[in-house]
Amino acid sequence: MGQGEKKTPISKDLQENLDILRARLGIGVTFDILVREITVGGIPAALVFVDGLIKDKVTLDLIENLQEVERPHIVPNTVRKLLARTVPYFEVEEVETLDEVIDQVMSGPLAILIEGARSAIIADVREYPVRGIAEPDLERVTRGSHEGFVETMIFNTGLIRRRLRDPKLRFEVVSVGTRSKSDVAIGYIADLADPGLVDHVKKRIEKASLDALPMGAKNLEEVIVERPWDPTPKVRYTERPDVAAAQLLEGHVIVMVDTTPMAMIVPVTFFHFLEHAEEYFQSPVIGSYLRFIRIAAFMITVLLSPLWLATYLGGESLPEFLRFVGPKEDTSIVPIPVQFFMLEFGIDLIRMALIHTPSALATSLGIVGAILLGDLAVQVGLFIPETILYTAVTAIAYFAVPSIELGYTLRIFRYALLLLATFFKLPGVLVGVLLVFIFLASGRSFRRPFMWPLAPFHGPSLVKVLLRLPVPSVGRRPPITSGKGADVMRTEPEPE
């Protein structure tokens, strides 16, 4: 129902209410929305619910208690007396319109309507189908917690509250989607998060004009971030409750969508995508080493192939110590720049095929793909060994980047640099790297500079993101809302 439309009040006539609900909910047409008519103290009543979304045992106990109540104990003010004395459940509320009844029933709770009452009881006895809590595949660690988010939001908030017993931790819920009415939780710690940031996130979500969120958080992301066509990720996703808790402690805001087993973290910078939980389950020295390896992987996946191609194509002007660059014999029938694009396409093709291949056959497909792109392709003269070597190293470095979203962005940048290397050789690559940096530095995540603290520069915070510091040092938060450099990390007022 849109804003401004008049809501339908609950009538004292039970059958009139049920007729409206049958028409609007399709009761009798759809098999899974049920009406159970009973008597409560001799007064006609009805329970409306979605089969499969309620706890059977709790609902049976509720019906039994309602049927055993005596009439003198519930009249007058039937609903309020039932809530005070009879309904043996703690998550209950009273609503006064049929529109609220419909919204609640479609979300899973059970509605109780009683003859002669102008309000209804909503009992939250829902039980969503849910899988077991397990470690997320994309964020595995050798030590530490092996818990991951699931598709039920209330379980996810519980996993976070188990780690943060802070009374200032807030989870505000809004409904998004005119048809799906998906629950979206906005989480933050009241005295750590920037109030301007929290308000900005809430306003962006509340203004989201969508029918539904069938893909959960990814659908929501595309309507709340600025510059949706920008390939650079503007939010960070995590499936680990310990990572979400750590980000909350740094003053970030998390957004969780029911049915989505991950949390969206905002705002983010480029350096957030190079962090991984494994670094904090090792000593600071080892953690810093692992972080350097990931930063090196980022450099390799973007620059290795374009730089090799540029130096090979401009080999006649190379100094003596770089003359080893390039093949000893070019026996391929395909131009070397074309080889790189063919190999990139082949690796993407194999990766997509592996996603859609049953687990029992995935290993066989990987072996076949490696043979086709490796030995056989060289033998028939499609590729030279050097292009396969550098593309393979680039692919390994790609999988070392913790964020899938950032990894895909890096692939686009690499394609652009390969084109520049093909046509303009080494100067083209250098100019391309500068343009990529300018592009990243001009980006913003919820009005925060994407390359902060490198651009604009803030030395102490840059040291923190480059090194895995000991926990006492990590506890000193970067100046998001106060201190030097805060002006670039502060949220501007939401425009009217």
Side-chain angles (χ1 to χ4, degrees):
M1 176 172 290
Q3 293 184 345
E5 295 185 29
K6 186 177 180 181
K7 295 186 176 183
T8 306
I10 295 175
S11 170
K12 287 188 175 183
D13 187 340
L14 176 63
Q15 289 305 316
E16 180 182 339
N17 295 328
L18 293 180
D19 289 342
I20 295 174
L21 291 176
R22 287 190 176 97
R24 294 178 61 177
L25 293 175
I27 299 173
V29 178
T30 180
F31 77 95
D32 58 338
I33 302 180
L34 305 179
V35 173
R36 173 72 162 87
E37 297 192 39
I38 61 174
T39 58
V40 179
I43 302 173
L47 281 67
V48 184
F49 56 93
V50 178
D51 192 16
L53 295 183
I54 61 171
K55 302 174 184 176
D56 293 341
K57 179 64 170 60
V58 175
T59 303
L60 288 174
D61 292 342
L62 178 60
I63 293 175
E64 182 178 353
N65 277 23
L66 290 173
Q67 290 178 326
E68 290 179 353
V69 69
E70 297 180 0
R71 183 184 181 94
H73 295 160
I74 59 171
V75 291
N77 299 321
T78 303
V79 169
R80 294 188 178 180
K81 288 184 177 179
L82 286 176
L83 286 174
R85 302 179 182 179
T86 307
V87 178
Y89 206 68
F90 47 87
E91 292 183 87
V92 293
E93 64 175 309
E94 183 179 358
V95 297
E96 298 181 348
T97 67
L98 290 177
D99 304 279
E100 294 174 288
V101 170
I102 292 172
D103 287 345
Q104 292 287 346
V105 169
M106 298 308 297
S107 297
L110 174 147
I112 305 172
L113 294 97
I114 302 172
E115 177 76 27
R118 288 194 174 276
S119 60
I121 297 173
I122 302 297
D124 192 352
V125 295
R126 57 185 156 183
E127 183 178 44
Y128 290 140
V130 63
R131 63 181 173 90
I133 294 174
E135 184 177 21
D137 290 333
L138 297 178
E139 297 177 272
R140 292 184 179 276
V141 294
T142 53
R143 298 189 183 276
S145 170
H146 295 282
E147 291 180 328
F149 289 137
V150 295
E151 285 75 10
T152 304
M153 188 172 69
I154 191 65
F155 288 3
N156 297 338
T157 57
L159 289 172
I160 295 175
R161 283 200 178 274
R162 185 180 178 187
R163 290 163 170 80
L164 291 179
R165 303 178 184 181
D166 189 339
K168 294 186 181 296
L169 176 58
R170 306 284 187 263
F171 287 108
E172 299 186 31
V173 176
V174 296
S175 180
V176 177
T178 55
R179 292 187 181 273
S180 68
K181 301 185 186 299
S182 302
D183 290 330
V184 177
I186 304 164
Y188 59 95
I189 299 179
D191 59 340
L192 296 183
D194 181 357
L197 169 65
V198 175
D199 290 340
H200 178 59
V201 173
K202 287 194 292 187
K203 288 179 180 179
R204 297 287 295 182
I205 293 176
E206 290 170 356
K207 290 180 181 179
S209 179
L210 292 170
D211 284 343
L213 299 175
M215 301 300 173
K218 289 300 294 183
N219 288 142
L220 184 63
E221 175 195 347
E222 294 182 7
V223 297
I224 66 173
V225 300
E226 297 88 352
R227 295 166 60 179
W229 284 98
D230 184 348
T232 309
K234 295 300 187 296
V235 301
R236 179 187 176 191
Y237 288 103
T238 182
E239 298 180 51
R240 296 185 61 89
D242 49 4
V243 173
Q247 295 299 315
L248 286 169
L249 288 170
E250 290 189 2
H252 293 265
V253 175
I254 66 171
V255 179
M256 293 185 291
V257 180
D258 196 30
T259 73
T260 304
M262 56 189 177
M264 181 194 307
I265 302 168
V266 296
V268 291
T269 68
F270 169 81
F271 298 97
H272 284 109
F273 296 100
L274 300 180
E275 297 177 352
H276 192 274
E278 177 69 15
E279 299 163 4
Y280 292 93
F281 290 109
Q282 305 295 339
S283 67
V285 173
I286 302 302
S288 298
Y289 167 75
L290 295 177
R291 186 167 297 183
F292 280 130
I293 292 295
R294 290 193 171 88
I295 295 174
F298 157 75
M299 303 295 290
I300 290 172
T301 193
V302 175
L303 296 177
L304 181 62
S305 297
L307 282 178
W308 185 89
L309 179 60
T311 52
Y312 164 67
L313 294 177
E316 67 279 1
S317 61
L318 290 176
E320 187 64 31
F321 68 92
L322 287 179
R323 290 299 174 91
F324 69 91
V325 173
K328 300 299 182 292
E329 295 181 4
D330 186 358
T331 58
S332 173
I333 61 175
V334 179
I336 288 181
V338 177
Q339 290 183 37
F340 276 108
F341 287 101
M342 292 177 62
L343 287 168
E344 293 283 357
F345 176 80
I347 289 177
D348 281 339
L349 188 63
I350 291 176
R351 185 173 67 249
M352 292 176 63
L354 285 172
I355 293 174
H356 304 300
T357 301
S359 299
L361 303 176
T363 302
S364 300
L365 176 61
I367 294 173
V368 171
I371 293 174
L372 290 176
L373 284 180
D375 188 56
L376 293 180
V378 172
Q379 290 182 19
V380 300
L382 284 177
F383 306 122
I384 60 173
E386 284 85 350
T387 56
I388 294 178
L389 170 64
Y390 289 109
T391 304
V393 173
T394 297
I396 293 173
Y398 166 82
F399 289 112
V401 176
S403 169
I404 289 181
E405 291 80 11
L406 180 62
Y408 280 118
T409 301
L410 299 182
R411 295 185 73 81
I412 294 176
F413 291 158
R414 186 166 66 251
Y415 284 135
L417 294 178
L418 284 171
L419 284 174
L420 291 172
T422 301
F423 293 106
F424 304 104
K425 301 181 178 60
L426 189 57
V429 174
L430 297 178
V431 172
V433 171
L434 178 61
L435 292 176
V436 167
F437 179 79
I438 293 174
F439 177 79
L440 293 176
S442 66
R444 300 176 77 84
S445 171
F446 284 79
R447 300 182 176 178
R448 269 46 172 198
F450 186 67
M451 289 300 291
W452 188 86
L454 182 59
F457 182 78
H458 187 263
S461 296
L462 183 61
V463 172
K464 178 181 175 181
V465 299
L466 293 179
L467 298 176
R468 191 301 219 184
L469 300 179
V471 170
S473 299
V474 174
R476 292 192 282 272
R477 298 178 179 83
I480 293 181
T481 58
S482 63
K484 183 180 178 181
D487 55 323
V488 298
M489 294 297 287
R490 191 185 301 275
T491 300
E492 296 91 342
E494 177 75 7
E496 294 297 333

